[in-house]
Amino acid sequence: MNKTTPSPHWHALPLEHIAEELDTNTRLGLTPDAVARRQTQFGPNRLTERPPKSPLMTFLLQFHQPLVYILLAATAVTLALREWVDAGVIFGVVLVNAIIGYLQEHKAIKAIHALARSMQGEATVVRGGISQRIPSNDLVPGDLVALQSGDKVPADLRLIRCRDLRIDESALTGESLPVEKSGDVLSQQTVLPDRRNMAYSSTLVSYGTASGLVVETGDATQIGRINALIAAATELQTPLTRKLAQFSGVLLWIILGLAGLTVIVGLLRGQGLLDMFLAAVALAVGAIPEGLPAAMTITLAIGVGRMAKRHAIIRKLPAVETLGSTTVICSDKTGTLTENQMTVQEIHAGGQHYSLSGVGYAPAGEVRLAGSAINPEFHPALLECLKAGLLCNDSRLIASAKGWRMEGDPTEVALITAAGKAGMSTDAADHELLRHDTLPFESQHQYMATLHDAGPEVPGLIYMKGSVECVLRRCRDTLGADLEPESLDHQAVLSQVERMAAQGLRVLALARKLVPAEQRQLGHGDVAEGLSFLGLQAMMDPPRAAAVEAVAACASAGIQVKMITGDHITTATAIARQLGLLAPAEQNADPVAVNGETLSRLSAEELREQVEKVSVFARVAPEQKLRLVEALQANGHVVAMTGDGVNDAPALKQADIGVAMGLGGTEVAKEAADMVLTDDNFSTIVAAVEEGRAVYDNLVKFITWTLPTNVGEGLVILVAVMAGATLPITPVQILWINMTTAVLLGLMLAFERKEPGIMRRPPRPPKTPILTAELGFRIGLMGVLLLLGAFGLFQLQLSQGASLENARTVAVNMFVFGELFYLFNCRSLRYSMFRLGFFSNPWLLVGVAAMVLLQVLFTYSEVMQRLFGTAPLSVTEWVYIVGGGLLIHAVVGAEKWLRAGNQPPASSHTDSL
């Protein structure tokens, strides 16, 4: 055997060429010697696991971030100042963040492990003419494998002989129905979902038997290609981490520049080098936002808790905020937007058109005629059509503690459920009409028929179901509303079929024939002619009701929803219309949807243009899902990808945020995703987006609140150096301000509730910085106000003869109380605190009370006075401090009010913060 590279065209080769290429026998299989040689050549039939980074390297890489560099610099500075406690606190923050990041990243490597586990199992193989069961890992190219109902396909097979074979490929291709298979040679251009002569590794045999030759094993299989796509998918930074990295880099250079400027200015003024070095250290410590990483982690963790209560489990913390930034959701159809349960929705029988309510396999719902519920007992033609679907059926619908579950073919189970809605049951029907013989469904005949005994001296009955064309040409008449024979109008039936098919419905025709009571066997000749047409049953995998509302909510939030599925384009388009996915401009667009074959011909530029215009992509292969996500990202979108199958995993990993289904999803999809929905409900994504926006709001609020302290502290040091004055605050006092206010005041903003209209804003443009020009102005204004308050009161105290310790205590308290009153301004970046409700965030009030108590201890406790160089304050001095804080609150409040008055109500400038 000279096979060294995988052939993508096994489906297009005749069997004799394949047998020659693989050097095997289609009846006897491989010899033991050939198996041994090929096991050495090709290795075991399992996926290669990419060696992960060592745990130590994974942990150390958590420190490889600009913001962490700043904090490590702060640690070094405080160590240089011999402030051991403060150095320990700052480094502790860095260490906790690194541990959390390490644990989150460690989970991500499980995706490929889950893929490898999915290939384990056993297979029935013929070797040397002897059938035997072996571990599927031992299969080699050229092996002859036998398949039967319930088997997991152990490798990629080219099918040789098939009998009624149907394979569930939904996890690989997204096809909602089991695929009928045959051994016929196909065109080389046939796309993967349409390769009826292939059986792919890890798909499931739902019906029938077959034999096939192993053509690919391990990494060369289709699932192996998906494994390679997952491994190759780029781990993207989230919008939050990108913006924080940019922000931290800019902040780092500003701090270094200001520290250097401080030293230069001081030296030019004739001050000592050591004094200037200490001043530069104080400025650097003051400008570093030590509490920011902890605040970010805790705010995201609070968002994780809120999302968990709404059935969304977050696997990676930054994914919380990414959802709030999402501009496009790419969703799989089957099992995500739809129920993944075939449901009969329309029946045409006795010249009447009926509709059925209810979705899924539960036999609960109404039968309606002209929009009104009816009693099926008064509609004999309807009952006979339903009975035919119930009896000409080999599947089962079983009630369990967890709900209704199916055994067999989803189409047949849909027929059972439809009959159940009319009060019929399989057991009762089987008891009434005992089955004697069956003609099972075969692809070449396109029908199934069953023979039933109606009782002694009563004609027997043959029931048939199958494709419309196949059944119609065997019918000589049709049964009217009272089961009386009438002439059959083929064109009228076909018109109904066309109408149903245009809605994406799968249509089955049903018929019956009376036969002698003594007949006990059934042959194809018995159903070649003379049947009576009973009607049509039309079904589909219906959209989730909650998904329709969720899509509408996404539209109002300015988020595009794209359906990317392996299903047929007609079905996908019909579902999209029911979901409201197609915008008015798309309803008559050309094309409304694009299939995988068209996608394969598009260049990267053409694809980028097409993804902006089209909302439905059908018959899409796994690597094409990946291309679509990459094209949207290239257009500047923040992409969330939802899915539940193996075929979704590479795109889930590539997307800015991958969202997997927890109940119906495969382990591969869950491991590749950033978020898992525990209720498999698309509407949960909308709730998660809402929480993500709230989390981002609260993070921006914290940054807007905390940076003025750093700006103010830096300005106080810089002004003091330039003026040749004594430093109003010392490095250790700066650390006290930064750490205590961040924990007791700033972190309380993480508990703020969602603001009104949060889901009526457009998504934030991905390139929008964390701080807009408006917020930059507010931070600068607040920094200047803190400078004026702290430096002004410091100089006032010294001019009135107060000690240096007393003046510095006043300056420190001015910073703290200025931030305290400013905190109420930051509860919303748009509205006043009274619009939100003064008591709507009780944790903030608790934090304020704790901060006031701590400042009293800071000022009057002898221990604190020795540690921080503070002194007691008089009532008059407290009046100055509190008055300064109130003035700051009033000035910032006036700036918010003036800015709101000069902007249109729907302005996205503030709504995108």
Side-chain angles (χ1 to χ4, degrees):
M1 178 181 176
N2 297 319
K3 178 179 175 293
T4 57
T5 58
S7 169
H9 306 308
W10 293 111
H11 59 280
L13 297 177
L15 283 174
E16 54 271 20
H17 290 183
I18 294 175
E20 182 180 350
E21 174 77 10
L22 296 173
D23 192 16
T24 187
N25 188 296
T26 58
R27 290 188 305 103
L28 303 177
L30 295 172
T31 65
D33 290 341
V35 170
R37 288 194 303 271
R38 294 183 190 194
Q39 284 177 338
T40 302
Q41 180 181 356
F42 294 103
N45 175 37
R46 60 168 177 255
L47 300 182
T48 302
E49 298 181 18
R50 185 177 58 171
K53 296 189 294 283
S54 70
L56 177 61
M57 182 57 66
T58 302
F59 180 71
L60 291 177
L61 286 174
Q62 305 305 315
F63 297 90
H64 184 51
Q65 303 172 42
L67 192 61
V68 173
Y69 293 154
I70 295 176
L71 289 173
L72 291 175
T75 303
V77 167
T78 49
L79 284 173
L81 293 171
R82 297 181 179 274
E83 298 295 337
W84 314 117
V85 174
D86 297 304
V89 169
I90 298 171
F91 186 71
V93 170
V94 175
L95 193 61
V96 168
N97 284 326
I99 291 172
I100 292 173
Y102 169 78
L103 293 175
Q104 293 293 329
E105 186 172 336
H106 182 68
K107 293 179 181 178
I109 64 174
K110 293 181 180 178
I112 295 175
H113 295 171
L115 269 169
R117 287 195 302 272
S118 74
M119 289 194 68
Q120 296 173 0
E122 290 189 335
T124 301
V125 64
V126 177
R127 288 177 174 172
I130 300 173
S131 178
Q132 52 190 292
R133 293 283 289 177
I134 64 169
S136 58
N137 285 355
D138 292 343
L139 287 174
V140 294
D143 261 328
L144 178 59
V145 173
L147 298 175
Q148 62 182 3
S149 180
D151 284 350
K152 177 185 283 189
V153 180
D156 283 3
L157 309 179
R158 172 63 160 83
L159 298 172
I160 301 174
R161 291 172 288 273
C162 299
R163 181 172 175 82
D164 308 330
L165 182 66
R166 277 172 266 177
I167 295 182
D168 180 357
E169 296 181 339
S170 59
L172 180 66
T173 67
E175 172 70 65
S176 55
L177 292 172
V179 179
E180 298 172 16
K181 296 290 185 177
S182 71
D184 300 335
V185 178
L186 300 173
S187 163
Q188 185 170 312
Q189 286 73 38
T190 306
V191 294
L192 186 141
D194 294 330
R195 294 175 187 171
R196 304 303 198 208
N197 58 8
M198 297 291 296
Y200 292 109
S201 176
S202 293
T203 59
L204 299 172
V205 178
S206 59
Y207 193 80
T209 60
S211 61
L213 292 176
V214 174
V215 293
E216 309 287 4
T217 60
D219 292 335
T221 62
Q222 287 296 325
I223 199 173
R225 293 179 62 194
I226 291 175
N227 178 46
L229 290 172
I230 294 176
T234 306
E235 289 282 359
L236 298 180
Q237 288 184 304
T238 70
L240 178 66
T241 55
R242 280 196 296 265
K243 291 173 184 176
L244 280 177
Q246 295 165 359
F247 172 74
S248 301
V250 172
L251 186 61
L252 177 61
W253 289 109
I254 290 174
I255 291 171
L256 293 175
L258 288 177
L261 180 63
T262 301
V263 173
I264 292 171
V265 169
L267 292 176
L268 291 176
R269 292 183 58 85
Q271 300 185 43
L273 179 61
L274 180 59
D275 290 339
M276 287 305 93
F277 175 75
L278 292 174
V281 165
L283 187 146
V285 171
I288 294 172
E290 292 90 352
L292 182 55
M296 185 178 76
T297 300
I298 292 171
T299 302
L300 292 174
I302 291 170
V304 167
R306 288 175 175 171
M307 288 186 182
K309 293 177 182 177
R310 302 182 75 170
H311 307 292
I313 303 300
I314 299 296
R315 298 183 63 249
K316 301 171 186 176
L317 277 182
V320 179
E321 180 275 333
T322 309
L323 273 167
S325 310
T326 299
T327 60
V328 177
I329 298 175
C330 295
S331 178
D332 184 37
K333 177 184 72 68
T334 306
T336 306
L337 290 168
T338 64
E339 296 282 354
N340 200 17
Q341 296 182 354
M342 292 297 290
T343 306
V344 174
Q345 298 197 326
E346 297 184 14
I347 298 175
H348 183 77
Q352 301 284 355
H353 189 75
Y354 303 89
S355 62
L356 282 73
S357 64
V359 295
Y361 295 140
E366 296 177 333
V367 182
R368 295 171 179 167
L369 179 63
S372 300
I374 61 161
N375 185 342
E377 292 181 6
F378 300 109
H379 297 262
L382 170 67
L383 288 179
E384 193 67 11
C385 183
L386 289 169
K387 186 185 292 183
L390 184 64
L391 290 171
C392 189
N393 200 309
D394 283 332
S395 298
R396 298 175 62 203
L397 181 63
I398 302 168
S400 66
K402 295 182 179 180
W404 293 89
R405 63 182 179 85
M406 58 155 280
E407 285 186 2
D409 185 86
T411 301
E412 292 191 333
V413 175
L415 298 174
I416 297 173
T417 300
K421 293 175 182 178
M424 306 169 72
S425 71
T426 301
D427 291 341
D430 284 343
H431 181 74
E432 178 187 353
L433 296 170
L434 180 66
R435 185 193 294 193
H436 284 304
D437 201 4
T438 302
L439 288 176
F441 181 91
E442 293 178 332
S443 56
Q444 65 266 36
H445 296 301
Q446 292 294 306
Y447 64 78
M448 173 184 177
T450 53
L451 172 64
H452 299 268
D453 183 354
E457 299 182 3
V458 177
L461 280 170
I462 295 174
Y463 283 114
M464 172 187 281
K465 74 171 189 293
S467 69
V468 176
E469 296 79 4
C470 173
V471 173
L472 270 182
R473 67 170 174 261
R474 289 168 167 77
C475 293
R476 68 182 178 192
D477 56 31
T478 183
L479 297 187
D482 296 321
L483 297 184
E484 292 298 324
E486 298 178 359
S487 62
L488 177 60
D489 186 344
H490 285 70
Q491 192 55 48
V493 173
L494 294 176
S495 296
Q496 288 290 335
V497 172
E498 288 178 11
R499 183 188 59 78
M500 293 172 172
Q503 301 174 51
L505 296 171
R506 182 171 188 245
V507 185
L508 286 181
L510 298 107
R512 80 173 192 183
K513 182 179 182 180
L514 300 178
V515 295
E518 62 275 10
Q519 183 170 335
R520 292 293 181 267
Q521 291 185 332
L522 186 61
H524 289 288
D526 295 317
V527 293
E529 59 181 4
L531 279 81
S532 295
F533 181 73
L534 294 177
L536 306 169
Q537 292 199 43
M539 63 192 70
M540 75 184 318
D541 178 14
R544 295 175 180 267
V548 178
E549 299 174 6
V551 168
C554 286
S556 67
I559 299 170
Q560 301 177 50
V561 179
K562 309 281 188 185
M563 180 194 292
I564 304 177
T565 178
D567 215 338
H568 293 281
I569 195 165
T570 305
T571 305
T573 304
I575 292 290
R577 283 198 170 95
Q578 294 184 40
L579 287 166
L581 274 182
L582 301 181
E586 290 182 86
Q587 295 287 347
N588 300 313
D590 185 23
V592 172
V594 173
N595 62 23
E597 185 178 349
T598 303
L599 284 178
S600 65
R601 295 195 299 265
L602 295 179
S603 67
E605 284 302 315
E606 290 170 333
L607 183 60
R608 287 181 60 180
E609 181 181 351
Q610 198 72 272
V611 293
E612 295 295 334
K613 298 178 180 178
V614 178
S615 296
V616 180
F617 299 89
R619 306 305 277 169
V620 175
E623 59 267 25
Q624 290 176 328
K625 290 188 177 188
L626 199 59
R627 279 191 71 202
L628 287 167
V629 171
E630 290 170 338
L632 286 164
Q633 289 171 333
N635 287 346
H637 287 290
V638 176
V639 182
M641 170 74 188
T642 75
D644 58 357
V646 173
N647 61 322
D648 298 320
L652 286 173
K653 194 177 181 192
Q654 175 66 31
D656 295 276
I657 177 165
V659 185
M661 304 295 119
L663 296 177
T666 60
E667 287 302 312
V668 176
K670 294 176 193 175
E671 294 294 342
D674 303 284
M675 183 174 83
V676 179
L677 307 183
T678 60
D679 60 355
D680 283 17
N681 196 331
F682 185 82
S683 63
T684 301
I685 298 172
V686 179
V689 168
E690 185 178 33
E691 292 294 345
R693 290 187 174 192
V695 165
Y696 188 83
D697 272 2
N698 291 344
L699 282 172
V700 174
K701 290 172 188 177
F702 177 85
I703 293 171
T704 306
W705 173 84
T706 194
L707 288 186
T709 304
N710 305 111
V711 172
E713 289 165 347
L715 288 175
V716 163
I717 301 299
L718 195 59
V719 169
V721 170
M722 289 184 172
T726 305
L727 295 182
I729 46 178
T730 65
V732 70
Q733 290 170 343
I734 290 173
L735 282 172
W736 167 266
I737 295 169
N738 290 355
M739 299 306 293
T740 57
T741 58
V743 173
L744 294 177
L745 298 181
L747 281 181
M748 300 305 111
L749 292 172
F751 296 96
E752 284 295 333
R753 297 179 181 177
K754 294 180 286 290
E755 294 190 11
I758 196 170
M759 287 300 287
R760 291 194 295 274
R761 308 178 198 164
R764 295 186 311 277
K767 295 183 180 179
T768 301
I770 292 179
L771 298 179
T772 61
E774 173 190 332
L775 292 184
F777 175 82
R778 190 174 298 168
I779 290 169
L781 172 65
M782 182 62 189
V784 171
L785 291 174
L786 287 174
L787 164 67
L788 295 175
F791 194 77
L793 288 179
F794 175 76
Q795 292 298 329
L796 177 64
Q797 290 299 105
L798 290 180
S799 68
Q800 292 179 351
S803 66
L804 179 62
E805 289 77 10
N806 176 274
R808 282 176 168 167
T809 304
V810 170
V812 169
N813 277 292
M814 184 65 250
F815 266 104
V816 171
F817 278 84
E819 284 288 283
L820 187 150
F821 283 102
Y822 178 53
L823 182 70
F824 289 94
N825 296 112
C826 290
R827 290 191 58 194
S828 172
L829 301 176
R830 306 168 183 81
Y831 311 117
S832 74
M833 63 180 176
F834 300 106
R835 168 85 180 270
L836 302 178
F838 186 80
F839 298 101
S840 62
N841 183 356
W843 287 105
L844 184 136
L845 301 178
V846 170
V848 166
M851 190 71 244
V852 170
L853 178 61
L854 206 57
Q855 281 308 111
V856 170
L857 292 174
F858 175 83
T859 304
Y860 296 104
S861 166
E862 292 183 3
V863 174
M864 302 293 267
Q865 289 172 359
R866 286 196 299 272
L867 287 173
F868 294 97
T870 59
L873 301 181
S874 67
V875 173
T876 302
E877 291 161 341
W878 279 113
V879 170
Y880 291 155
I881 293 167
V882 174
L886 286 170
L887 182 61
I888 286 174
H889 178 78
V891 170
V892 175
E895 183 264 344
K896 284 174 63 178
W897 179 77
L898 289 172
R899 191 178 294 276
N902 291 327
Q903 288 182 351
S907 170
S908 63
H909 180 68
T910 55
D911 278 1
S912 63
L913 295 175

